[in-house]
């Protein structure tokens, strides 16, 4: 057997490698993992990796990458067997910061749709909010049941070369990826069970129960035993696996718009036993498609009259419509002030410095320094539309300059951050190589209820040197272990 598959691993000096230090020495939290993986030779590890892929395929753990194949053909969601470790002390700070940040975002949403105090006090520019395509007029002068807007948040964080975590963006519309956290853990539990005990790894399997508790906590007033369901666009959606996984895990019905109807101010689900009133709908479709009478009249995915039922307080929608006004990437730059304004506290989690292209001086800086920046559309998610200046051609840079000048409100820019790298098994070379990673952390807020999934989804940019980790752009994932050890 040709042992020690990690022996040939090459650390890249200019990056923070989470597994090895700059001298190539294994970092303390990874010592047991290193010893375990080094028992394998290249051929043996290749067989284990292939067996894991087959397991994912048989379980239907797939994803469609429209960027690579416009027809949206399903493929196995890439999963790397080497987990990422976050120590107990690191996680404690992250957890506090995530709850703080998402509570502040919730208060911000409540304010901008009602009293608008933060706008009147000019902490956040009014025009920034009212020009957002995600500011939803149906939410004005309305407060959802339980007072919660962003029930489920997906916060993207990176670990910079200074060793600190920074928030890259907030996702509070329909953040996805949590099913892969549980699937990844399930796969590793079968092969690394002894290491879980030795490293005292926190569980992630409590998430479905926590999500169910969150949903029930925001049932409409007067409902003691809420009936909840998950609304999916259907089996051709790229995240359909996740929709069905979550519904099944919580013991809820998975429904499409055609399964639902509105009658006498309430929402009903068609069942083989007759109609059944729904109290909480975890919708996995965008605002525009929720209700053809209120939004896109051509939508075949939503339910006619749903927004009227919602505004009458007879159903809860998870997340609330209009939450996208807060994860607009131009609004992101104001989150530290938003935290301070509502909570009177300094933000625990730091932002990446962000240039707003609609501010003339900042736009000048951006167009003159494109090669040092990452440019993002303010209202996109999933990594779509991201421009990385260091890897763009002169023609591409010129094209981006023109786009920014024509529609400055539509873009922000950030310095190219040195995302940390992590040992990742690469199929093409049959060995471990450094690849950039980030972390999507999931936070739940309900009525008098807070929860952070211990670990979250570590996303991996599988192409060497790439900073784009999104699964929709061909990225993969790792299991994230939060240990009680430091």
């Amino acid at each position: 057997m040709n042992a020690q598959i990690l022996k040939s691993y090459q650390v890249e000096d200019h990056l923070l490698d989470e597994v090895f230090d700059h001298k190539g020495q294994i970092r303390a939290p990874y010592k047991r993992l290193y010893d375990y993986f080094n028992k394998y030779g290249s051929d043996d590890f290749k067989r284990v990796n292939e067996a894991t892929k087959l397991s994912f395929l048989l379980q239907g753990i797939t994803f469609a990458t429209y960027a690579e194949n416009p027809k949206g053909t399903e493929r196995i969601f890439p999963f790397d067997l080497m987990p990422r470790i976050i120590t107990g002390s690191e996680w404690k700070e992250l957890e506090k910061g995530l709850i703080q940040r998402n509570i502040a975002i919730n208060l911000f949403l409540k304010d901008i749709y009602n009293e608008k105090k933060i706008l009147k006090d000019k902490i956040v520019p009014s025009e920034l909010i009212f020009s957002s395509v995600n500011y939803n007029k149906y939410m004005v002068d309305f407060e959802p049941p339980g007072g919660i807007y962003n029930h489920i948040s997906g916060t993207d964080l990176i670990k910079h070369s200074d060793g600190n975590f920074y928030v890259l963006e907030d996702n509070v519309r329909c953040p996805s990826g949590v099913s892969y956290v549980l699937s990844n853990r399930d796969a590793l539990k079968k092969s690394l069970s002894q290491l879980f005990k030795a490293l005292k790894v926190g569980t992630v399997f409590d998430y479905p129960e926590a999500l169910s508790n969150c949903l029930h906590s925001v049932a409409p007033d007067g409902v003691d035993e809420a009936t909840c369901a998950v609304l999916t666009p259907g089996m051709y959606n790229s995240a359909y696996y996740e929709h069905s996984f979550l519904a099944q895990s919580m013991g809820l019905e998975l429904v499409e718009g055609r399964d639902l109807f509105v009658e006498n101010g309430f929402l009903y689900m068609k069942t083989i036993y007759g109609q059944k009133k729904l109290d909480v709908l975890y919708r996995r479709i965008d605002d525009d498609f929720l209700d053809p009478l209120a939004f896109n009249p051509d939508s075949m995915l939503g339910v006619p009259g749903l927004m009227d039922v919602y505004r009458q307080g007879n159903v809860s929608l998870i997340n609330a419509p209009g939450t996208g006004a807060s994860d607009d990437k131009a609004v992101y730059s104001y989150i530290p002030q938003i935290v301070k304004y509502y909570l009177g506290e300094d933000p625990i989690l730091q932002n990446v410095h962000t240039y707003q292209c609609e501010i003339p001086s900042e736009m000048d800086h951006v167009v003159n320094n494109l090669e040092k920046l990452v440019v993002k559309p303010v209202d996109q998610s999933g990594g779509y539309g991201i421009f990385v200046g260091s890897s763009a051609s002169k023609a591409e840079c010129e094209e981006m300059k023109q786009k920014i000048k024509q529609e400055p409100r539509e873009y922000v820019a950030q310095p190219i951050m040195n995302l940390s790298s992590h040992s990742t098994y690469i199929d093409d070379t049959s060995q471990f190589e450094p690849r950039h990673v980030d972390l999507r952390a999931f936070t739940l807020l309900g009525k008098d209820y807070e929860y952070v999934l211990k670990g979250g989804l570590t996303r991996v940019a599988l192409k060497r040197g790439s900073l784009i980790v999104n699964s929709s752009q061909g990225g993969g994932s790792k299991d994230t272990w939060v240990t009680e050890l430091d």
Side-chain angles (χ1 to χ4, degrees):
M1 183 175 71
N2 52 335
Q4 297 192 326
I5 190 170
L6 279 162
K7 193 172 183 180
S8 59
Y9 185 80
Q10 296 292 316
V11 176
E12 296 184 350
D13 289 339
H14 63 292
L15 299 175
L16 171 66
D17 191 302
E18 296 193 18
V19 182
F20 296 90
D21 65 19
H22 286 299
K23 295 179 180 176
Q25 299 298 308
I26 188 74
R27 296 185 189 276
Y30 284 90
K31 182 67 171 60
R32 285 177 184 267
L33 272 177
Y34 176 82
D35 292 341
Y36 180 86
F37 277 80
N38 255 344
K39 293 176 183 174
Y40 288 98
S42 177
D43 293 341
D44 292 334
F45 194 85
K46 192 173 182 178
R47 278 194 289 274
V48 172
N49 193 49
E50 290 298 323
T52 305
K53 280 186 184 178
L54 180 61
S55 170
F56 270 49
L57 181 63
L58 293 176
Q59 292 177 66
I61 305 172
T62 59
F63 200 86
T65 54
Y66 297 110
E68 291 182 350
N69 61 91
K71 292 183 179 178
T73 306
E74 297 279 327
R75 69 183 181 104
I76 300 170
F77 188 66
F79 169 60
D80 187 66
L81 286 170
M82 170 74 91
R84 180 197 207 168
I85 293 178
I86 297 178
T87 63
S89 57
E90 279 183 315
W91 182 253
K92 190 176 179 182
E93 196 70 2
L94 280 174
E95 191 173 52
K96 281 168 53 183
L98 288 165
I99 288 174
Q100 180 199 56
R101 189 175 182 97
N102 286 298
I103 286 176
I105 289 174
N106 191 65
L107 292 170
F108 174 68
L109 286 163
K110 180 180 178 181
D111 191 17
I112 62 172
Y113 284 116
N114 292 279
E115 295 184 77
K116 302 177 179 59
K117 290 167 63 177
I118 198 167
L119 308 181
K120 293 171 184 172
D121 289 340
K122 302 188 184 305
I123 306 298
V124 176
S126 300
E127 57 272 22
L128 190 65
I129 303 304
F130 299 138
S131 63
S132 169
V133 296
N134 295 306
Y135 187 79
N136 193 319
K137 66 179 183 181
Y138 283 88
M139 296 300 292
V140 173
D141 297 327
F142 172 73
E143 185 174 325
I148 304 297
Y149 293 74
N150 53 328
H151 311 83
I152 305 165
S153 303
T155 309
D156 294 343
L157 302 119
I158 61 166
K159 195 170 190 178
H160 188 43
S161 53
D162 63 8
N164 295 316
F165 279 97
Y166 291 82
V167 177
L168 202 57
E169 61 184 55
D170 302 285
N171 298 277
V172 293
R173 283 174 268 181
C174 295
S176 63
V178 73
S179 62
Y180 303 115
V181 177
L182 276 67
S183 300
N184 291 349
R185 178 60 55 87
D186 193 46
L188 281 195
K189 286 283 278 188
K190 292 171 183 171
S191 54
L192 304 180
S193 57
Q194 291 183 340
L195 287 175
F196 278 93
K197 288 182 181 177
L199 294 175
K200 298 184 178 180
V201 179
T203 185
V204 296
F205 294 122
D206 57 349
Y207 182 81
E209 183 180 357
L211 180 57
S212 178
N213 290 340
C214 177
L215 267 54
H216 282 85
S217 77
V218 293
D221 290 342
V223 175
D224 294 327
E225 292 293 330
T227 301
C228 312
V230 178
L231 174 63
T232 175
M235 63 181 294
Y236 295 108
N237 184 267
S238 62
Y240 182 72
Y241 165 75
E242 174 153 304
H243 306 163
S244 56
F245 176 90
L246 290 174
Q248 187 175 32
S249 300
M250 291 188 287
L252 304 182
E253 296 292 338
L254 180 66
V255 296
E256 298 181 26
R258 60 186 174 177
D259 301 320
L260 308 176
F261 65 96
V262 167
E263 188 173 275
N264 298 325
F266 291 92
L267 178 66
Y268 291 92
M269 169 175 61
K270 301 171 190 172
T271 79
I272 58 174
Y273 304 107
Q275 66 188 49
K276 185 168 186 178
K277 184 166 75 70
L278 273 180
D279 305 301
V280 182
L281 191 61
Y282 175 20
R283 50 86 176 217
R284 292 297 299 259
I285 65 177
D286 293 339
D287 289 5
D288 278 350
F289 301 97
L290 270 177
D291 179 352
L293 299 183
F295 306 122
N296 184 345
D298 297 325
S299 173
M300 302 290 286
L301 304 176
V303 188
L306 177 60
M307 286 303 293
D308 283 343
V309 178
Y310 182 56
R311 283 193 59 97
Q312 291 172 44
N314 292 332
V315 69
S316 287
L317 296 177
I318 313 297
N319 285 344
T323 50
S326 68
D327 70 9
D328 182 307
K329 292 178 180 60
V331 174
Y332 154 93
S333 61
Y334 289 92
I335 295 295
Q337 293 96 310
I338 289 170
V339 170
K340 188 78 174 175
Y341 183 80
Y342 293 111
L343 303 179
E345 303 169 359
D346 292 326
I348 297 169
L349 298 176
Q350 302 303 311
N351 271 14
V352 175
H353 183 78
T354 302
Y355 298 95
Q356 295 194 43
C357 295
E358 70 168 349
I359 299 174
S361 60
E362 298 197 3
M363 183 178 74
D364 287 345
H365 177 83
V366 171
V367 297
N368 290 319
N369 294 276
L370 272 181
E371 72 283 0
K372 303 173 187 172
L373 300 170
V374 175
V375 180
K376 299 177 177 179
V378 296
D379 60 349
Q380 292 286 320
S381 59
Y384 292 104
I386 289 181
F387 171 91
V388 182
S390 59
S391 58
S393 66
K394 285 187 178 179
E396 289 169 333
C397 285
E398 190 56 39
E399 183 182 356
M400 179 50 68
K401 284 181 185 178
Q402 295 308 315
K403 286 182 178 178
I404 292 171
K405 289 178 178 177
Q406 289 169 7
E407 295 184 286
R409 169 65 177 88
E410 298 303 309
Y411 296 96
V412 297
Q414 296 172 331
I416 298 174
M417 300 289 283
N418 284 329
L419 276 66
S420 59
S421 62
H422 197 288
S423 307
T424 302
Y425 185 75
I426 303 302
D427 288 342
D428 291 345
T429 59
S430 299
Q431 62 183 10
F432 280 92
E433 298 180 8
R435 289 293 185 271
H436 290 298
V437 294
D438 82 348
L439 177 68
R440 172 162 290 185
F442 295 91
T443 305
L444 303 179
L445 294 181
K447 184 177 181 182
D448 303 320
Y449 187 78
E450 301 164 356
Y451 167 91
V452 180
L453 177 63
K454 195 159 279 186
L457 183 67
T458 289
R459 303 184 298 179
V460 188
L462 293 176
K463 294 177 184 175
R464 180 183 283 276
S466 174
L467 298 172
I468 310 297
V469 298
N470 304 74
S471 54
S472 54
Q473 305 294 308
S477 70
K478 286 175 172 289
D479 193 12
T480 311
W481 291 7
V482 175
T483 75
E484 294 180 16
L485 309 177
D486 283 330

